[in-house]
């Protein structure tokens, strides 16, 4: 079969590789579509260094595909099923051992290395093997294109942040990083609340406002302005219930701190992005206002099923997304365009087209 292979010099090449073999509890999936992350170039080049493990030979976290074969001990998915493949692979035990990886992407803990060795390769290929426990059946795949369904990976991460923030209808929520891929998914999922979408890309913010002008308030961030002042003007004397910080590779803590300062008493700040500098916590403020700061990594095992149900019931509409598909041979161009994508724009690899 053909796959995109990451070579030792950190370049990509499309070549023939051995077909995957079934493992106990696994399934072999024909890859129909896999979303390419905005920061894929940093993973490919090695600029984004993960703390443990080696990069996969075949990259590609998550996919939407068709089940071809299942191991003899697999009962709840069958050949022919259209499925979403969750990249969070691991034992998920209750005994304190965290050995999970993002299949085809990264290992973050020392205990993850054995898992990564077992499921080394990802979905930038015509087929791949993955645990059956990571598969969610899509029962109405005809509602959207496979490329649109592939965006479930970013919606899953955004949904994880929303659950950590315990967002409720009628609350006021700020989302910093709203003009990025995951941030814009969070805006769509949080529309039951009033959302302040924060970002520097005014065109991308405009696309978010169109989703619901009554609920989405754009906040344009400029480096030369006091962020806290800008936020308070947008809030019009209101305070924020929940702040989601989804900025990737922030080089300053200013945005996260401005969001923290706008929280009302008992408010929650959820950290779901990445920061290349320390985050100085205003200890006294957190104590006086009884604030909570929570981390959010990926999502729960039940999240994909929840999202599929939202799509199938037409509560979540993928038609609001701009999705562009690329055949396997154009992986380099796909990665390039993914880096330039902003709110509600997604680049998807379609290996079997």
């Amino acid at each position: 079969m053909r796959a995109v292979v990451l070579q030792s010099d950190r370049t990509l090449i499309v070549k023939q590789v051995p077909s995957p073999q079934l493992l106990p509890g696994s399934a072999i999936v024909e890859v129909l579509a896999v979303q390419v992350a905005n920061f894929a170039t940093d993973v490919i080049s090695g600029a984004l260094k993960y703390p443990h493990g080696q990069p996969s030979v075949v990259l590609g976290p998550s996919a939407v595909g068709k089940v071809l074969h299942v191991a003899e001990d697999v009962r709840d998915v069958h050949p022919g099923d259209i499925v979403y493949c969750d990249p969070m692979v691991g034992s998920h035990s209750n005994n304190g051992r965290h050995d999970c990886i993002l299949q085809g992407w990264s290992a973050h803990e020392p205990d993850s290395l054995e898992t990564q060795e077992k499921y080394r390769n990802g979905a930038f290929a015509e087929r791949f093997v993955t645990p059956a426990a990571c598969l969610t059946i899509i029962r109405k795949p005809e509602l959207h294109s496979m490329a649109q369904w592939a965006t479930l990976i970013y919606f899953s991460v955004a949904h994880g942040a929303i659950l950590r923030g315990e967002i409720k209808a009628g609350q006021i929520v700020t989302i910093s990083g709203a003009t990025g891929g995951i941030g814009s998914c969070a805006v769509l999922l949080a529309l039951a609340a009033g959302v302040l979408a924060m970002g520097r890309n005014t065109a991308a913010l405009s696309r978010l406002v169109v989703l619901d002008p009554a609920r989405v308030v754009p906040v344009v961030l400029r480096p030369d302005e006091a962020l806290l002042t800008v936020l308070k003007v947008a809030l019009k004397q209101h305070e924020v219930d929940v702040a989601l910080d989804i900025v990737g590779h922030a080089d300053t803590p200013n945005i996260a701190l401005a969001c923290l300062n706008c929280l009302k008493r008992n408010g929650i700040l959820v950290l779901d992005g990445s920061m290349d500098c320390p985050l100085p916590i205003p200890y006294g403020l957190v104590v006086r206002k009884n604030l909570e700061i929570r981390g959010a990594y990926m999502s729960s095992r039940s999240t994909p099923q929840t999202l599929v149900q939202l799509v199938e019931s037409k509560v979540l509409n993928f038609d609001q997304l701009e999705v562009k598909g690329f055949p396997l041979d154009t992986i380099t161009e796909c990665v390039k365009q993914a880096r330039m994508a902003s709110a509600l724009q997604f680049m998807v690899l379609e290996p079997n087209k």
Side-chain angles (χ1 to χ4, degrees):
M1 70 167 191
R2 296 197 314 151
V4 177
V5 175
L6 178 63
Q7 303 185 104
S8 58
D9 63 356
R10 313 298 303 195
T11 59
L12 298 177
I13 183 172
V14 178
K15 60 185 292 187
Q16 290 288 333
V17 300
S19 294
Q21 301 299 308
L22 278 174
L23 298 168
S26 74
I28 293 175
V29 176
E30 177 186 357
V31 180
L32 301 178
V34 50
Q35 185 191 321
V36 176
N38 307 65
F39 56 94
T41 51
D42 296 328
V43 176
I44 293 164
S45 69
L48 184 56
K49 292 179 172 59
Y50 290 114
H52 298 283
Q54 298 299 317
S56 301
V57 176
V58 179
L59 297 175
S62 89
V64 169
K66 181 170 70 174
V67 176
L68 297 178
H69 309 284
V70 299
E72 61 180 14
D73 57 343
V74 173
R75 301 286 184 268
D76 56 348
V77 292
H78 304 90
D81 286 341
I82 301 299
V83 293
Y84 166 73
C85 310
D86 185 348
M88 185 73 86
V89 174
S91 60
H92 296 278
S93 75
N94 295 320
N95 302 311
R97 185 170 184 257
H98 184 69
D99 63 352
C100 289
I101 64 169
L102 296 184
Q103 184 180 358
W105 211 240
S106 63
H108 289 269
E109 304 291 341
D111 286 344
S112 302
L113 301 183
E114 186 177 338
T115 308
Q116 190 186 50
E117 186 60 36
K118 187 176 181 180
Y119 289 102
R120 165 71 65 179
N121 293 325
F124 289 176
E126 292 177 331
R127 297 179 294 281
F128 82 127
V129 62
T130 193
C134 294
L135 304 182
T136 298
I137 297 173
I138 301 173
R139 303 192 184 280
K140 298 180 181 179
E142 70 280 359
L143 290 178
H144 295 285
S145 70
M146 290 298 106
Q148 289 173 313
W149 280 110
T151 64
L152 279 171
I153 176 60
Y154 268 19
F155 278 100
S156 293
V157 178
H159 189 265
I162 285 172
L163 289 182
R164 289 289 286 157
E166 300 180 24
I167 294 173
K168 302 174 180 65
Q171 290 185 325
I172 297 177
V173 180
T174 64
I175 301 177
S176 52
T179 53
I182 296 172
S184 59
C185 291
V187 172
L188 265 175
L189 292 173
L191 281 179
V195 178
L196 272 76
M198 303 164 57
R200 294 188 173 92
N201 186 326
T202 53
L205 283 173
S206 297
R207 289 198 296 274
L208 295 175
V209 173
V210 170
L211 296 174
D212 193 331
R215 287 193 175 96
V216 180
V217 177
V219 181
V220 181
L221 302 178
R222 296 185 175 87
D224 58 339
E225 291 183 324
L227 298 179
L228 185 55
T229 301
V230 172
L231 258 180
K232 287 186 174 180
V233 169
L235 285 166
K236 298 178 181 177
Q237 307 305 314
H238 295 287
E239 289 184 301
V240 174
D241 295 282
V242 181
L244 306 184
D245 184 75
I246 314 182
V247 177
H249 294 288
D251 56 8
T252 170
N254 293 348
I255 294 177
L257 289 176
C259 292
L260 186 66
N261 274 276
C262 284
L263 289 173
K264 65 169 55 172
R265 183 170 179 79
N266 300 316
I268 299 171
L269 170 64
V270 178
L271 303 179
D272 193 32
S274 57
M275 192 174 289
D276 298 331
C277 60
L279 176 61
I281 303 300
Y283 193 101
L285 175 73
V286 172
V287 171
R288 287 192 306 273
K289 297 182 73 173
N290 202 36
L291 304 179
E292 291 187 52
I293 301 174
R294 301 178 179 179
Y297 181 66
M298 298 302 290
S299 60
S300 69
R301 179 64 84 203
S302 63
T303 285
Q305 183 62 50
T306 298
L307 291 172
V308 167
Q309 290 172 344
L310 286 174
V311 176
E312 291 179 344
S313 62
K314 301 185 180 179
V315 174
L316 177 60
N317 185 2
F318 285 159
D319 291 338
Q320 297 163 314
L321 313 179
E322 297 177 27
V323 181
K324 185 176 181 180
F326 294 79
L328 202 63
D329 290 319
T330 61
I331 178 62
T332 301
E333 182 62 22
C334 182
V335 168
K336 179 182 176 182
Q337 291 199 31
R339 189 172 186 85
M340 297 184 293
S342 60
L344 305 179
Q345 297 175 331
F346 303 92
M347 306 303 146
V348 173
L349 197 64
E350 299 175 303
N352 284 285
K353 279 195 174 181

